[in-house]
C-alpha cells in the first residue's frame, strides 16, 4: 500500500526541513521573490509567523513541501487571503503543489477568508500559472517586468485571484 | 507672498502630526486598508521603518501630509517601488497629494527603482484613481470585492502601475 501524503500544521520540528526546501526553491531564481540574501532568521520569522498558518506536506515521514496562508492586506483588505507554496526539488512533478493548493483553499475558507490572491506569479513559470488556473485562479492583471528572473532578466508577473464561494 | 509647500524627510519630530493624519485618514474607512484597530505602535513601526523612506509635506510650519516609498516586494521584486500617501482632512483639495506623488516618483527613481505599484486602490475612490492616472499610473488589474468599505461594503480595488523611465 502506497503511503498517502499528509498535510498538517507545521511545528518547530519541521523548521529545518522547510528551511532546506526554501533554499532549494530560491536557488533557481525563476519563481520566488526571495533571493539568496534572505537570512534564515528573516525567512523563519516570515514563514512561521503566528499570522501565517504554515503547513507541511509529509510523505512517509519526509517533509516534501510547505505552504502558508495569511491575510494579503491588513484591516479592510484582510478578508482576502494570500498563500505561498514550496515543493522540495526531488519531489517535483508529483502533484504535491496542487494538493497543497487544494488544502490551502479549504483552510482559507475555514478561517473565514472570502477570496485568495497571489501577488506575483512569474509569467515565464507557465507550469505554475497553469496549475493555479486549474485550481480556479484567474489572471486579473499583469505587472510589466516586475520580477527579476535569474536567467531571463526582468520578466512580467501576474496577479492571480479566485473567490472561495465554491469551496466546501 | 504665499509660503510654498515643502516636502522633506520625516523625523521623530513629525511623528505626532503624522499619527494624527493617519487617524483622520482611516476614520472614513473608504480609502485605506488600515482600520481603527491599528495600534499607534504598529503604524509607527510601518510608516517610520528604515525601509520606508517617510516624507512629510509642510506648509507654514504645519504638517499637512505624509508619504512613504518602499520596495513592493523583497529580492527579485525589489526593483518595483510601492508608495502610500495621506493628507490631513483640513488640507484636502489643495493638490497636496499630487505634489507628494510627484516628489515620491523622483525619490523612487533616485533610489534606483524602475517602476511603482499601488496594490489596493479603492475603485469607488474615483478622485484618487483619477489623480494617480494623471500622474502616469494605469490600472493593470482589478481585484473583485477586495476592499471592505465602511459604507458600501465590499468593493473592487485596482492594482495601479507605472514605469519610471520618464522621471528625470
Amino acid at each position: 500500500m502506497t503511503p498517502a501524503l499528509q498535510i498538517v500544521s507545521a511545528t518547530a520540528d519541521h523548521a529545518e526541513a522547510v528551511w532546506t526546501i526554501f533554499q532549494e526553491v530560491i536557488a533557481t531564481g525563476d519563481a520566488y521573490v526571495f533571493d539568496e540574501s534572505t537570512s534564515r532568521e528573516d525567512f523563519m520569522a516570515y514563514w512561521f509567523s503566528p499570522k501565517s498558518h504554515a503547513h507541511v506536506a509529509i510523505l512517509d515521514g519526509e517533509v516534501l513541501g510547505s505552504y502558508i496562508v495569511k491575510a494579503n492586506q491588513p484591516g479592510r483588505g484582510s478578508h482576502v487571503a494570500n498563500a505561498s507554496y514550496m515543493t522540495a526539488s526531488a519531489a517535483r512533478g508529483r502533484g504535491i503543489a496542487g494538493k497543497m493548493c487544494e488544502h490551502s483553499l479549504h483552510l482559507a475558507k475555514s478561517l473565514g477568508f472570502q477570496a485568495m490572491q497571489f501577488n506575483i506569479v512569474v509569467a515565464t513559470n507557465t507550469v505554475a500559472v497553469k496549475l493555479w488556473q486549474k485550481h480556479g485562479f484567474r489572471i486579473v492583471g499583469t505587472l510589466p517586468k516586475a520580477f527579476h528572473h535569474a536567467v531571463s532578466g526582468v520578466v512580467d508577473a501576474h496577479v492571480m485571484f479566485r473567490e472561495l464561494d465554491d469551496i466546501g
Side-chain angles (χ1 to χ4, degrees), chain A residues 30-32 121-130 132 149:
Chain A
D30 58 358
Y32 239 63
V121 179
V122 182
T124 52
N125 188 3
T126 52
V127 171
V129 173
K130 283 178 190 166
W132 307 144
H149 189 291

Side-chain angles (χ1 to χ4, degrees), chain A residues 18-164:
Chain A
V18 172
W19 169 242
T20 299
I21 294 171
F22 174 73
Q23 291 174 290
E24 289 175 3
V25 167
I26 63 168
T28 50
D30 58 358
Y32 239 63
V33 287
F34 293 101
D35 64 19
E36 300 81 350
S37 71
T38 312
S39 71
R40 182 186 162 118
E41 184 185 1
D42 283 352
F43 169 71
M44 290 297 181
Y46 169 70
W47 203 262
F48 288 91
S49 158
K51 296 176 180 173
S52 285
H53 304 283
H55 280 65
V56 285
I58 299 179
L59 185 67
D60 213 8
E62 191 178 0
V63 176
L64 298 184
S66 184
Y67 81 80
I68 57 171
V69 164
K70 60 185 177 61
N72 195 48
Q73 294 282 352
R76 297 190 170 280
S78 63
H79 56 290
V80 178
N82 171 250
S84 295
Y85 312 86
M86 312 188 295
T87 305
S89 53
R92 301 276 165 81
R94 287 158 60 182
I96 292 170
K99 284 173 185 163
M100 290 196 291
C101 183
E102 278 306 304
H103 197 274
S104 72
L105 291 170
H106 286 90
L107 173 66
K109 178 86 170 191
S110 73
L111 291 169
F113 290 108
Q114 290 167 28
M116 188 180 283
Q117 180 176 334
F118 300 151
N119 299 307
I120 185 162
V121 179
V122 182
T124 52
N125 188 3
T126 52
V127 171
V129 173
K130 283 178 190 166
L131 182 63
W132 307 144
Q133 285 173 328
K134 184 181 157 190
H135 289 278
F137 289 83
R138 61 193 183 278
I139 295 169
V140 292
T142 298
L143 310 166
K145 301 181 181 177
F147 183 85
H148 191 253
H149 189 291
V151 176
S152 307
V154 285
V155 298
D156 295 351
H158 301 308
V159 178
M160 299 188 75
F161 195 94
R162 100 190 296 285
E163 288 77 8
L164 299 178

